[in-house]
Amino acid sequence: MTTEEVPTQDPTRGLESAVAVVGMSGRFPGARDLESYWANLRDGVCSLSTFSEKELLADGADAAELRNPAHVAVQGRLPDADRFEADLFGFGRTEAAALDPQHRVLLETAWAALEDAGHAPLNAPPRTGVYVGGSPTEHALAAGTDPALAASIGALQVRILTDREFLAPWISYRLGLDGPSMTVQTACSTSLTAVHLAVQALLLGECDTALAGGVALGSVRRQGYVHYQGGIFSPDGRCRPFDEKAAGTVPGSGVGVLVLRRLEDALADGDPVRAVIRGTAVTNDGSGKVGFTAPGVHQQTAAITEAWAAAGLEPSAAQYVEAHGTGTELGDRIELEAASAAFAGGTGIGLGSVKSNIGHADAAAGAAALIKTILMLEHATLAPTVDVTSPVAALRQSPLRLVTEAEQWPSRAGLPRLAGVTSVGIGGTNVHVVVQEAPEPRPRARAAGQPVVLPLSARTEPQLAVLAERLAERLGAADAPPLADVAHTLRTGRVAMPVRAYVVAGEGQEAAERLTALAEGRLDTTAATADALGEAWLRGEEVAWPVLDGEVRRVRLPTYPFAGESHGALTLRQPPAQASPEPQAPDPSPPGPADELEAAVARLVIEALDLDGAAGLAQTYFEAGGDSLTAVHLAGRLRDEVGVDVPIQLFLEPITLKDMTTRIVGMKRGGDADGALDALLAEFEAES
């Protein structure tokens, strides 16, 4: 029985418990965004990087290791992963340098995913939860073992800025999301487990919107690996899932975040539905396998069948399965056996693994696989598994067939396009997700094409030009969204920033031409109809945009073009003095005259808050970006270096930092607040 001959099933059954994917964003080897990711997948590109000895040595590789015949100079790498637009997220330079690059790229990806869903990242829907996970990183290990860094910013601050357990809370805090915030860890299946938990939370009503995904950024350095006979890594730097020559995987990096909502809510609110999650399931192998790191057959099969049961569908309804597919002999053999048993009712079901393109993205592997599958559904195209020349013989007796060339994903009568995505973690956690193509949008009443104002903003002029150029390209495409929807999304789904512009247009091609002129710095403002609200927008005012005629929806538009500077990354390859800032040595000498004491206090305040000199003291503590962690750090340095204990209440008062400095000097003279820091620390520890 072929996939075109599956038993009749009700495609609407189970939709009451379906979850919509309304937005997503990701960065993977060879792809800075999902458009380039899809192009690479469709074209069968292997995006693994091969490095020269000179490049590896420049990034701190051990010359002796490079001489090892088993060394493989290949990696699935994210270029520019050390760059971060820190100011956008409220981090000073000192904090940003200590913040793990893994946290940085996840924050930016979460921002972009919300924009892709048509929601302003700093004004997301109420009760938005966060479910994400990450991988171990060299930066975190170097930070945690660097006494100089701990002396500089405090051991607690180091942990909070680098530990994986704070990945989700940083997103919730910096984006103002008040739903559940959970960091998930199930090894290689982390990000797909995060999706499962987010789906369950939505269905249980614990949140109304959820961000789910994961990140893996072991190091920002270019580096290879050493192949060991019998190990999991490939001897030649290529990953060949389900191939007779498969001999291992390749380390990779990546980050992916999906925005999820209950399907009925997404449809009612006019969200841009990209795909539908029909069912999910998680199992664990327990002790039913040959070893802790080995996978097991029976519980992988159970995860698949349970997920399709949750979807109200038979596994035979699947047209494609995106496998975990590590390209290891044992892993592939067991996964193929498990999947063949689960999908036994079907024939000719496509099979693939994105690890052949990007390597093994560890905690982000499941997100990479799910996003790949959604992109294939959107484009009705099956992407090939690359570098495969001889599929394993076991496929001949399997309901599955390995997809090795790009091909059309056929539609069928009575059932939508359906796929399954599997992720397996060391330790035995198996996850399977059933994904369905997005439903056709329902008809709606549209207003006549009246001229509308399209507002744009960014933090810098070059970023504004990039945004205008990308939006022009989108509106000039054959499948450009209605201009009223574009205006609605730009007005309600973007954060207002200081550098602003607008264009007025009545249809998409006209808008594209004016946006191109804006990007190139040749917009003729006299030719464009001036708009009173547009001019108010230019002046930096908060504009109350009028309701647009007709029924408008959120649509997918180009997201914010991040352009942060490099904040580096800590590494174990460098001497400690180079790996982190020099600690500020306590001054054992007694304070001098009042002006010297005040200067010393001011210096500590400026350093702790990363201010641009004494002019920054005109702000209040919170205006300068201060928080409770910085308060602990600053209070500690004031006690150690100046000899004054500062009560927590002082940081909460609405006074300028200059006045706060004067008060602290007065405390020193009067000997006030003895033991206040100890009380503050005890209070903070109790709350955490």
Side-chain angles (χ1 to χ4, degrees):
M1 180 171 57
T2 69
T3 54
E4 301 302 320
E5 300 169 338
V6 295
T8 302
Q9 302 183 57
D10 182 359
T12 64
R13 181 186 171 195
L15 285 182
E16 65 278 0
S17 60
V19 167
V21 178
V22 298
M24 57 188 193
S25 179
R27 293 172 58 186
F28 302 101
R32 297 178 183 275
D33 53 43
L34 295 189
E35 286 72 25
S36 52
Y37 184 50
W38 169 244
N40 290 342
L41 294 171
R42 178 197 60 211
D43 297 340
V45 175
C46 176
S47 299
L48 300 172
S49 300
T50 301
F51 309 117
S52 68
E53 181 176 334
K54 182 178 180 181
E55 288 175 320
L56 294 172
L57 290 173
D59 273 14
D62 185 345
E65 184 177 275
L66 300 187
R67 290 193 295 269
N68 186 335
H71 182 268
V72 182
V74 176
Q75 178 189 36
R77 184 169 184 263
L78 287 187
D80 298 327
D82 58 336
R83 302 182 70 86
F84 179 51
E85 197 151 342
D87 292 345
L88 183 64
F89 294 93
F91 289 96
R93 284 188 293 273
T94 301
E95 275 188 315
L99 187 68
D100 195 314
Q102 184 165 257
H103 286 67
R104 304 174 199 161
V105 299
L106 187 62
L107 278 164
E108 291 186 344
T109 305
W111 178 290
L114 281 168
E115 285 194 334
D116 186 66
H119 291 282
L122 299 183
N123 190 29
R127 288 167 44 86
T128 294
V130 181
Y131 302 82
V132 295
S135 298
T137 70
E138 183 183 32
H139 178 97
L141 183 58
T145 56
D146 186 355
L149 182 62
S152 174
I153 67 173
L156 181 61
Q157 184 80 323
V158 170
R159 181 186 169 203
I160 289 173
L161 291 170
T162 61
D163 199 305
R164 285 183 288 172
E165 68 178 299
F166 297 107
L167 285 167
W170 272 124
I171 294 173
S172 298
Y173 178 60
R174 291 303 185 187
L175 301 187
L177 310 179
D178 56 6
S181 188
M182 300 184 184
T183 300
V184 181
Q185 294 302 152
T186 61
C188 320
S189 58
T190 287
S191 52
L192 208 61
T193 302
V195 170
H196 166 78
L197 293 175
V199 167
Q200 295 300 309
L202 287 165
L203 298 180
L204 290 171
E206 295 175 349
C207 58
D208 296 326
T209 303
L211 303 184
V215 59
L217 189 58
S219 175
V220 302
R221 295 187 298 115
R222 290 167 291 191
Q223 59 183 10
Y225 62 89
V226 176
H227 164 71
Y228 294 99
Q229 188 65 35
I232 65 170
F233 293 130
S234 167
D236 64 355
R238 289 295 179 268
C239 180
R240 298 179 172 86
F242 307 107
D243 189 286
E244 293 287 1
K245 298 188 299 297
T249 192
V250 177
S253 296
V255 54
V257 175
L258 301 97
V259 183
L260 310 177
R261 299 194 71 201
R262 289 181 290 273
L263 178 61
E264 58 181 352
D265 293 344
L267 294 175
D269 293 346
D271 288 330
V273 178
R274 303 193 66 162
V276 176
I277 295 176
R278 290 289 301 266
T280 67
V282 173
T283 63
N284 190 277
D285 296 324
S287 60
K289 51 186 180 175
V290 297
F292 182 78
T293 61
V297 173
H298 299 302
Q299 290 303 314
Q300 280 194 43
T301 302
I304 296 170
T305 56
E306 289 174 16
W308 284 86
L313 297 165
E314 293 295 328
S316 58
Q319 291 172 292
Y320 177 83
V321 177
E322 176 67 15
H324 189 63
T326 56
T328 57
E329 191 280 330
L330 178 64
D332 284 2
R333 177 171 57 79
I334 289 177
E335 184 172 12
L336 183 55
E337 183 179 346
S340 296
F343 294 101
T347 301
I349 299 172
L351 176 70
S353 171
V354 74
K355 291 178 180 61
S356 67
N357 304 90
I358 65 171
H360 191 351
D362 198 55
L370 179 56
I371 289 172
K372 170 192 172 181
T373 305
I374 292 171
L375 292 171
M376 290 194 300
L377 284 166
E378 288 184 328
H379 292 88
T381 301
L382 296 177
T385 296
V386 303
D387 289 322
V388 171
T389 56
S390 52
V392 293
L395 282 167
R396 298 170 195 157
Q397 290 79 44
S398 169
L400 306 166
R401 62 178 183 86
L402 194 60
V403 178
T404 56
E405 294 182 359
E407 58 186 74
Q408 182 185 7
W409 189 330
S411 61
R412 52 189 172 172
L415 276 176
R417 293 180 178 91
L418 288 162
V421 182
T422 292
S423 195
V424 178
I426 287 179
T429 299
N430 312 297
V431 193
H432 191 80
V433 173
V434 179
V435 194
Q436 175 180 309
E437 65 181 326
E440 287 292 328
R442 59 180 173 79
R444 56 173 168 158
R446 293 185 182 178
Q450 299 295 323
V452 293
V453 178
L454 305 180
L456 290 84
S457 71
R459 294 186 61 251
T460 66
E461 292 285 355
Q463 286 171 293
L464 185 68
V466 170
L467 189 61
E469 180 182 14
R470 292 178 181 175
L471 186 58
E473 182 179 354
R474 180 72 188 96
L475 297 186
D479 62 343
L483 205 57
D485 291 349
V486 174
H488 173 67
T489 303
L490 291 174
R491 295 174 183 185
T492 65
R494 297 295 185 265
V495 173
M497 297 185 188
V499 180
R500 301 184 178 189
Y502 76 94
V503 300
V504 179
E507 53 87 24
Q509 193 57 46
E510 179 187 17
E513 291 171 0
R514 290 186 173 172
L515 287 164
T516 299
L518 173 63
E520 296 174 353
R522 56 178 180 82
L523 180 65
D524 184 358
T525 55
T526 61
T529 303
D531 182 90
L533 290 179
E535 293 301 311
W537 171 258
L538 286 184
R539 293 192 296 270
E541 298 177 15
E542 184 175 343
V543 177
W545 299 104
V547 176
L548 293 162
D549 294 335
E551 182 184 349
V552 291
R553 296 171 178 168
R554 300 182 185 89
V555 290
R556 287 191 286 118
L557 299 175
T559 57
Y560 187 71
F562 297 105
E565 62 183 89
S566 171
H567 290 277
L570 303 181
T571 172
L572 297 168
R573 295 286 190 179
Q574 297 178 356
Q578 298 178 31
S580 60
E582 290 288 346
Q584 298 294 322
D587 182 4
S589 59
D595 55 343
E596 294 182 13
L597 175 60
E598 188 163 352
V601 172
R603 174 181 60 82
L604 292 176
V605 172
I606 290 170
E607 289 178 1
L609 295 170
D610 196 25
L611 304 176
D612 292 326
L617 297 175
Q619 309 170 82
T620 68
Y621 179 75
F622 289 108
E623 288 173 343
D627 55 25
S628 60
L629 295 177
T630 306
V632 172
H633 165 58
L634 177 56
R637 292 192 65 184
L638 288 167
R639 180 178 66 179
D640 294 342
E641 300 179 36
V642 181
V644 56
D645 286 321
V646 181
I648 187 62
Q649 289 82 1
L650 183 60
F651 297 101
L652 303 178
E653 292 185 18
I655 59 175
T656 66
L657 294 172
K658 175 66 175 175
D659 290 340
M660 187 178 79
T661 299
T662 302
R663 294 269 293 275
I664 292 171
V665 171
M667 290 178 191
K668 173 63 180 176
R669 290 173 176 168
D672 294 341
D674 289 341
L677 178 60
D678 292 334
L680 170 61
L681 288 169
E683 176 185 346
F684 184 81
E685 290 293 339
E687 292 179 352
S688 61

